[in-house]
Amino acid sequence: MFKHVLSFKSRFNMLLLLCCSTQLFAQEQCDVQLGHGLIITEDVIRIVDKGQTRVQINNDNQLFIKGRWKILDEKESQVLMQYSKGLRDTVPELVSLATDGVNLGLTAIEQVVTGYTGKEPAVLKDQLQYVERALMDRFKKGDDFFYIAPQSLSKLDDFFEKEISGKIHSAVHGSLGAILVALGDAFESNEGNIEDRISDMGDRMDLIAKEIDRSLLRKAAQMEKKAAEYCGYLKLLDETETQLQQIVPELLDFDLVQVK
């Protein structure tokens, strides 16, 4: 039985490596820092600091700083619109890219573990909620908003490969114990032949693993294509922000895109 479990553990680790690898983010080094948090909805963009909105852009054409409306002429409004649309074109996609890849991996783990035990073990549920919270502190999206925290976009590899990957490893290793307990309980209560059950779970694992592999490969191809675009977009966005800061110097206090 332990031989089977070890092979299952190896498959878990393979999936984790596929899920959490951020080499795709590192294809092109982009030393960009987001100096403040950013929330984007359909009509409003908000630059936030310590939970407070400092800069707000309504409908891509109205600028508020600390709640005060800044009147712009037509030419200045064009710069504001270019900046606002630049944020909309870049940030939501980045947030989706970050969250979707990890959520896919979490779903895969839930499917595999539930396949063994017939239910989601409490230890897995608790651990995965911890992973989700860590992710949502940095990236969050809902039906009508996107959020990204202040952070270095050049160090996403550390966040995903160390912090998130480490938490997922803890969840998986804790769940392996629950799987063994479930299989042991089945054996003691004579719920069928234990070897047949292990074999059946192994087949289910193979099917799920192959489907996850295909999904992750498709996701990897999308990420690889988009990763190279982010540096260029963000650098152009920084240039537009600099133009806007020249028009409205108060924005210097809330510098969002910082290219080093």
Side-chain angles (χ1 to χ4, degrees):
M1 184 171 77
F2 288 99
K3 181 179 179 181
H4 285 279
V5 171
L6 288 174
S7 65
F8 296 157
K9 184 175 179 180
S10 296
R11 289 175 191 169
F12 270 120
N13 289 334
M14 177 190 72
L15 292 176
L16 289 172
L17 288 173
L18 283 170
C19 169
C20 296
S21 174
T22 52
Q23 292 177 357
L24 297 171
F25 282 105
Q27 295 275 331
E28 179 182 337
Q29 279 297 321
C30 195
D31 195 4
V32 175
Q33 176 86 26
L34 292 182
H36 300 274
L38 186 70
I39 299 172
I40 296 180
T41 66
E42 184 176 356
D43 300 322
V44 178
I45 292 176
R46 293 191 288 146
I47 297 175
V48 297
D49 181 42
K50 297 179 180 178
Q52 298 292 318
T53 298
R54 304 303 184 183
V55 177
Q56 182 167 318
I57 303 172
N58 293 344
N59 300 309
D60 300 327
N61 60 18
Q62 278 188 328
L63 176 64
F64 293 83
I65 302 177
K66 292 184 176 180
R68 294 183 178 181
W69 181 26
K70 296 296 178 179
I71 299 176
L72 306 176
D73 62 29
E74 184 177 350
K75 186 176 180 180
E76 293 168 343
S77 294
Q78 289 176 353
V79 177
L80 176 64
M81 183 170 292
Q82 183 180 353
Y83 178 62
S84 180
K85 290 187 174 181
L87 290 173
R88 292 187 181 279
D89 288 343
T90 306
V91 173
E93 193 169 11
L94 180 59
V95 172
S96 295
L97 201 60
T99 56
D100 289 351
V102 175
N103 288 339
L104 178 62
L106 299 183
T107 300
I109 294 168
E110 288 176 313
Q111 288 176 332
V112 173
V113 174
T114 303
Y116 278 105
T117 62
K119 61 181 180 179
E120 185 179 27
V123 63
L124 176 67
K125 186 175 181 179
D126 292 343
Q127 289 282 353
L128 293 187
Q129 286 178 347
Y130 188 43
V131 174
E132 289 174 350
R133 283 196 298 270
L135 181 66
M136 290 172 65
D137 284 343
R138 296 281 197 100
F139 306 94
K140 187 185 302 183
K141 71 172 183 176
D143 293 336
D144 58 354
F145 77 95
F146 295 88
Y147 167 76
I148 188 168
Q151 60 190 291
S152 171
L153 298 183
S154 61
K155 295 182 178 179
L156 287 177
D157 55 341
D158 287 344
F159 175 63
F160 282 91
E161 290 180 0
K162 296 178 182 178
E163 186 172 348
I164 292 297
S165 179
K167 287 179 171 59
I168 292 177
H169 272 283
S170 296
V172 170
H173 293 162
S175 299
L176 287 175
I179 292 170
L180 287 173
V181 170
L183 293 178
D185 289 344
F187 181 73
E188 290 177 3
S189 59
N190 297 318
E191 293 179 6
N193 185 290
I194 193 68
E195 291 296 331
D196 288 344
R197 188 172 183 188
I198 291 175
S199 178
D200 178 61
M201 292 303 171
D203 291 341
R204 292 175 66 182
M205 167 69 110
D206 286 336
L207 289 172
I208 293 172
K210 288 176 181 177
E211 181 57 35
I212 293 168
D213 286 345
R214 285 193 289 269
S215 297
L216 288 175
L217 286 173
R218 288 194 297 269
K219 175 62 67 177
Q222 295 169 359
M223 291 173 70
E224 186 172 17
K225 181 179 178 181
K226 292 297 180 183
E229 297 176 5
Y230 286 136
C231 278
Y233 282 155
L234 291 166
K235 288 173 182 176
L236 286 174
L237 191 55
D238 182 50
E239 293 175 6
T240 304
E241 185 178 43
T242 298
Q243 293 178 39
L244 193 58
Q245 289 168 346
Q246 292 171 351
I247 295 168
V248 186
E250 296 101 309
L251 285 173
L252 288 168
D253 292 334
F254 311 107
D255 192 31
L256 180 66
V257 184
Q258 303 167 8
V259 179
K260 300 179 181 179

